[in-house]
Amino acid sequence: MSIAIRPATGGDVAAIDALLRQVFSKAEEAVFVQRLCVDGDMVLMLVADDEESGALTGAVVFSRMGADIDGKPIAAVALAPLAVAAEYRDQGIGEALVQAGLSQLKAAGAMLCFVLGEPGFYERFGFSADWARGFASPYAGDYLMALPLQDGAMPCGERGAATHAAAFEQLSGDW
């Protein structure tokens, strides 16, 4: 099997929606991604294709965030959701999608990426709750993690608000 990772296009909308509805138990993740797009908060969306079958096997979304340190805004994004079709899991597709996205965001100058998720999964990329501590967020806790994207550099100073896109408010979860 050969997988290709590429930016999502308008032609992928139906397949992405179907993937999200298959992977997550509720339709809210699919509606969440639609809202990020409609609200103009989507920064980057990558998809993984099975080059042999042409099937869309996974997707990752990064959205705009507001974050500040010492009262100065920093370029920040949130990773959510990450989805891989059940029959393609445990083959490195999710990891490849995350790594490709982080690499592109680093090149674009993003300073910090936040994620709400399982520490056991996201820590492999360098995400840590320690990097997110001190930011004022309704999601603060062990599941809110951050990763400095510019070679581990994090601006010094008092951490202020970390504000996710409005679409996050509709998600349920124990964060």
Side-chain angles (χ1 to χ4, degrees):
M1 174 181 61
S2 180
I3 298 293
I5 295 176
R6 62 175 176 79
T9 68
D12 296 318
V13 171
I16 293 167
D17 188 74
L19 172 72
L20 294 171
R21 290 172 191 275
Q22 172 205 13
V23 169
F24 296 99
S25 60
K26 299 179 188 171
E28 72 180 354
E29 291 288 336
V31 173
F32 166 69
V33 169
Q34 292 169 7
R35 181 151 176 224
L36 286 173
C37 187
V38 169
D39 290 352
D41 288 324
M42 190 175 295
V43 173
L44 176 65
M45 181 175 222
L46 299 176
V47 296
D49 292 323
D50 180 337
E51 291 185 309
E52 295 167 16
S53 70
L56 192 140
T57 64
V60 66
V61 176
F62 296 88
S63 59
R64 189 173 332 281
M65 276 192 69
D68 67 84
I69 296 178
D70 257 358
K72 298 175 186 153
I74 61 168
V77 296
L79 184 169
L82 170 64
V84 176
E87 62 272 25
Y88 290 94
R89 290 192 189 140
D90 300 321
Q91 298 178 47
I93 295 169
E95 289 89 346
L97 282 163
V98 171
Q99 291 288 17
L102 294 174
S103 177
Q104 288 187 34
L105 292 163
K106 176 183 176 181
M111 179 62 85
L112 194 58
C113 182
F114 287 87
V115 67
L116 282 168
E118 277 298 320
F121 180 79
Y122 289 102
E123 286 173 347
R124 73 182 75 184
F125 304 104
F127 284 95
S128 170
D130 289 340
W131 287 113
R133 284 197 217 303
F135 282 100
S137 169
Y139 308 109
D142 293 337
Y143 293 98
L144 178 65
M145 295 169 281
L147 173 67
L149 296 177
Q150 300 302 321
D151 299 321
M154 176 78 123
C156 292
E158 185 177 343
R159 295 174 184 184
T163 308
H164 286 75
F168 276 81
E169 294 170 12
Q170 77 182 32
L171 294 175
S172 60
D174 296 325
W175 314 114

